[in-house]
């Protein structure tokens, strides 16, 4: 365990022979890995290294190589500038054999400074090897490979780099490779790499590589590349009703996160300005824009935020991380809609991670594997946040707590922030639509007892529903339904209905005006439960059921021809039904999300209320609704 690391390390540094010391260092590395935390060993090394003898420093550097990763490479990077020649040479040897992408910036710098040295070749080759094996995102891999090209000393090295580009199918790589198709020495490698990207389309053999690529651009060859080009053309173009927060070209409209909301309120203006300028200078070193993608290089924790502040909004964000990646979206300056590697954090992304009292974990894991693009749709009104990840509901109208001042609600206004957390990040298609404040909650009759002015007939003629003596009724011919003209989210709906013998109808809730509202929304069944024709129905088809989803707990219906009272309450994912004064259904829709493909309405939290016209006469009266405040 971690208590043994310190004495084991001390013993390893005192070991005499090289073989004995290697075995001791191996044991320390294994013990450190078993603690599942870098902190104990890393702190020990940082403490010991400055005053250690050269032989001990070399041993520490060898141990760092065994551990790998960004934090251990920091000691190696510092040792590259050591005053001791033996320590410096050892650091260089370790650099040229380092196995993960923590060493890439240092390898590129080594190759640049030592272009006349044979070891420059080793640095370039090791860099390409790391890029191929690292699993990093294609955008970052392309940038590194592009930087390596001018450092290559001969044609074979350049061909090696070009070959690696074929592993990373992003539009900038296609464009770069196409520029080499006429090169006398590199065209073959470029053509082969392009073939990898476009999945080796069959083309006429008498066409030149350049002509093949031009044919691809004209839509005659690769569907894969045509789609890539189309995505590139539409990148960062907002959908109707939205505006782009990121223009795909530069950091216009964004600034570094230089201070917290609390500091903004307490520090003098000149101090805030000074902090902002310093943070912006630093951010430009680590945040860059490449071919429509906003990228963070993974160094440090300096995030970006919008210069504008927002209140109520709908936000769309495409994001991508690498293995072990960690980030988040701050809303109104408060953390956060979580982003992280689902292979490491099994709960997945999209939860409100910093909540303490309200739900913090997502409802389900909906992440794509690291290295693939994900999309958030985030809706914030007041204190409440709803999050869809890749079109899956993962946070359902949850209160976002104020991380900075726990005893206060989240701030009314604030920026959108992209959190940096010491790992590479990628963002694109960042769009926002500001939403108006919620209107006052409705409470009153939905049906005035006189006409259908506040209703709309869907899928039938307007006269298919009529009014007489305070009763809204239909003869059951022609199908369709009658809908409210306004959508409702959380509410308590009460109504009375009367069905004839064999009668059949239903109350639609949170339904859209498209598709079958029993499935695109939800249907609370209304039926003559005692009719012989319905004796063999499924339990979830009888009165009071959520049709196709959950059956009523018991049957309390009256005989056909009698008036019955139904009360339906919707709060977030919970739906309850009372019939004739007794609760017969109490469902948490989250428990039924496995039915989402056939019942997409289960994930809707707002929609129209309607009454079904279903083959028989049916009557409704005393239809009242009370909108409920969010819990």
């Amino acid at each position: 365990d971690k208590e043994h690391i310190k004495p084991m390390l001390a013993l390893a540094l005192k070991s005499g022979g090289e073989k004995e010391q290697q075995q001791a260092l191996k044991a320390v590395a294994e013990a450190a890995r078993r603690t599942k935390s870098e902190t104990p060993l890393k702190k020990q090394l940082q403490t010991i290294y400055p005053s250690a003898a050269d032989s001990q420093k070399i041993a520490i550097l060898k141990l760092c190589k065994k551990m790998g990763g960004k934090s251990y490479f920091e000691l190696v990077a510092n040792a590259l500038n050591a005053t001791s020649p033996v320590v410096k040479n050892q650091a260089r040897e370790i650099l040229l054999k380092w196995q993960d992408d923590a060493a890439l910036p240092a390898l590129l710098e080594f190759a640049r400074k030592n272009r006349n040295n044979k070891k420059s070749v080793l640095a370039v080759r090791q860099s390409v090897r790391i890029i191929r094996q690292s699993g990093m995102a294609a955008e970052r891999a392309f940038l590194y490979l592009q930087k390596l090209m001018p450092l290559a000393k001969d044609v074979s090295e350049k061909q090696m780099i070009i070959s690696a580009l074929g592993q990373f199918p992003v539009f900038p790589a296609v464009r770069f490779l196409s520029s080499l198709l006429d090169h006398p020495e590199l065209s073959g490698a470029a053509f082969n790499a392009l073939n990898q990207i476009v999945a080796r389309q069959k083309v006429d053999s008498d066409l030149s590589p350049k002509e093949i690529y031009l044919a691809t651009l004209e839509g005659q060859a690769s569907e894969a590349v045509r789609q890539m080009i189309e995505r590139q053309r539409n990148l960062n173009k907002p959908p109707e009703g939205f505006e782009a927060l990121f223009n795909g070209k530069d950091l216009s409209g964004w600034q570094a996160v230089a201070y917290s909301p609390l500091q903004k309120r307490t520090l003098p203006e000149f101090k805030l300005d000074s902090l902002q300028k310093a943070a912006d200078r630093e951010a430009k070193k680590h945040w860059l824009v490449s071919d429509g993608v906003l990228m963070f290089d993974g160094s440090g924790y300096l995030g970006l935020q919008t210069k504008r502040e927002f209140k109520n909004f709908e936000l769309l964000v495409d994001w991508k991380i690498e293995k072990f990646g960690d980030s988040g979206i701050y809303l109104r300056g408060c953390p956060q809609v979580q982003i992280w590697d689902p292979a490491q954090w099994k709960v997945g992304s999209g939860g409100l991670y910093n909540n303490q009292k309200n739900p913090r974990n997502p409802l389900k894991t909906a992440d794509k594997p690291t290295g693939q693009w994900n999309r958030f749709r985030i809706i914030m009104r007041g204190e409440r946040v709803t999050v869809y990840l890749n079109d899956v509901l993962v946070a359902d109208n949850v209160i976002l707590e104020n991380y900075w001042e726990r005893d206060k609600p989240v701030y009314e206004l604030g920026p959108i922030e992209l959190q940096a957390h010491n790992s590479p990040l990628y963002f694109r298609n960042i769009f926002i639509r500001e939403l108006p404040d919620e209107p006052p909650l409705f409470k009153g009759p939905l049906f005035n007892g006189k006409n259908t002015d506040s209703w709309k007939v869907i899928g039938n003629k307007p006269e298919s529903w009529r009014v007489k003596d305070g009763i809204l009724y239909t003869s059951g011919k022609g199908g369709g339904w009658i809908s409210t003209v306004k959508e409702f989210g959380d509410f308590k709906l009460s109504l009375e209905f009367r069905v004839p013998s064999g009668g059949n109808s239903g109350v639609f809730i949170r339904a859209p005006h498209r598709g079958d509202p029993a499935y695109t929304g939800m249907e609370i069944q209304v039926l003559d439960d005692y009719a012989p024709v319905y004796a063999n129905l499924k339990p979830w088809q009888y009165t009071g059921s959520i049709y196709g989803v959950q059956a009523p707990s018991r049957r309390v219906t009256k005989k056909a021809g009698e008036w019955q009272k139904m009360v339906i309450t919707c709060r977030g994912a919970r739906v309850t039904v009372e019939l004739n004064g007794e609760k017969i259904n109490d469902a948490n829709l989250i428990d039924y999300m496995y039915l989402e493909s056939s019942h997409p309405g289960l994930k809707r939290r707002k929609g129209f209320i309607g009454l079904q016209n279903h083959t028989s006469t049916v009557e409704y009266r005393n239809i009242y609704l009370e909108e409920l405040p969010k819990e």
Side-chain angles (χ1 to χ4, degrees), residues 77-254:
N78 291 334
L80 291 170
N81 299 313
T83 55
S84 168
V86 292
V87 173
K88 188 173 185 177
N89 286 336
Q90 184 64 56
R92 286 182 174 183
E93 291 299 321
I94 290 174
L95 168 67
L96 295 172
K97 295 178 182 178
W98 198 268
Q99 297 297 311
D100 61 65
D101 62 347
L104 279 173
L107 282 167
L108 266 67
E109 182 65 10
F110 182 90
R112 186 184 66 79
K113 287 183 176 180
N114 297 275
R115 294 201 65 184
N116 298 323
N117 188 316
K118 289 183 179 180
K119 289 191 175 180
S120 172
V121 176
L122 297 177
V124 171
R125 291 182 178 276
Q126 185 66 6
S127 296
V128 174
R129 188 179 295 112
I130 289 171
I131 292 167
R132 278 186 176 277
Q133 298 175 357
S134 69
M136 70 174 64
E139 289 83 355
R140 187 159 69 104
F142 167 74
L143 288 180
Y144 276 127
L145 291 168
Q146 189 180 40
K147 290 177 180 179
L148 280 169
M149 279 296 286
L151 301 178
K153 298 186 69 172
D154 55 34
V155 170
S156 64
E157 285 185 40
K158 291 181 179 180
Q159 289 173 336
M160 175 184 64
I161 295 167
I162 291 168
S163 175
L165 278 167
Q167 185 177 325
F168 303 102
V170 288
F171 188 79
V174 172
R175 187 170 56 201
F176 177 73
L177 290 168
S178 71
S179 71
L180 301 175
L181 289 174
D182 288 331
H183 193 285
E185 296 176 310
L186 303 178
S187 59
F191 178 59
N192 289 335
L194 272 172
N195 265 345
Q196 290 183 56
I197 291 178
V198 303
R200 295 186 179 276
Q201 293 292 314
K202 291 182 179 180
V203 292
D204 294 337
S205 58
D206 59 340
L207 291 177
S208 71
K210 187 73 172 180
E211 288 170 329
I212 291 171
Y213 181 68
L214 291 174
T216 297
L217 286 179
E218 293 168 3
Q220 298 173 18
S222 167
E223 179 64 25
V225 169
R226 283 204 300 272
Q227 292 177 0
M228 186 183 293
I229 292 168
E230 188 63 24
R231 285 195 300 270
Q232 190 72 18
R233 286 174 179 163
N234 293 323
L235 203 59
N236 302 306
K237 292 183 180 179
E240 185 177 355
F242 287 79
E243 61 175 306
L245 291 180
F246 168 54
N247 63 16
K249 301 174 183 178
D250 53 41
L251 297 180
S252 297
W254 294 82

Side-chain angles (χ1 to χ4, degrees), residues 321-327 340-341 343-345 370 421-423:
I321 55 174
E322 298 180 10
K323 191 175 180 180
F324 306 120
D326 190 340
S327 181
W340 50 22
D341 179 356
Q344 302 299 315
W345 293 276
T370 53
H421 208 279
N422 208 35
S423 56

Side-chain angles (χ1 to χ4, degrees), residues 9 37 72 100 115 167 260 285 309 331 341 438 478 496:
L9 178 60
S37 172
Y72 288 102
D100 61 65
R115 294 201 65 184
Q167 185 177 325
S260 72
K285 300 176 185 177
E309 295 189 334
L331 308 178
D341 179 356
E438 292 279 13
E496 296 177 47

Side-chain angles (χ1 to χ4, degrees), residues 457-502:
V457 174
I458 308 295
N460 205 334
K461 297 179 180 179
E463 58 269 24
S464 62
W465 286 85
R466 298 178 181 275
V467 177
K468 183 178 180 181
D469 299 328
I471 297 172
L472 177 62
Y473 70 96
T474 183
S475 64
K477 296 179 180 179
W481 57 296
I482 190 168
S483 164
T484 58
V485 295
K486 179 184 174 183
E487 293 185 284
F488 298 95
D490 288 4
F491 57 82
K492 182 176 181 180
L493 171 70
S494 65
L495 54 82
E496 296 177 47
F497 66 87
R498 181 165 65 181
V499 293
S501 178

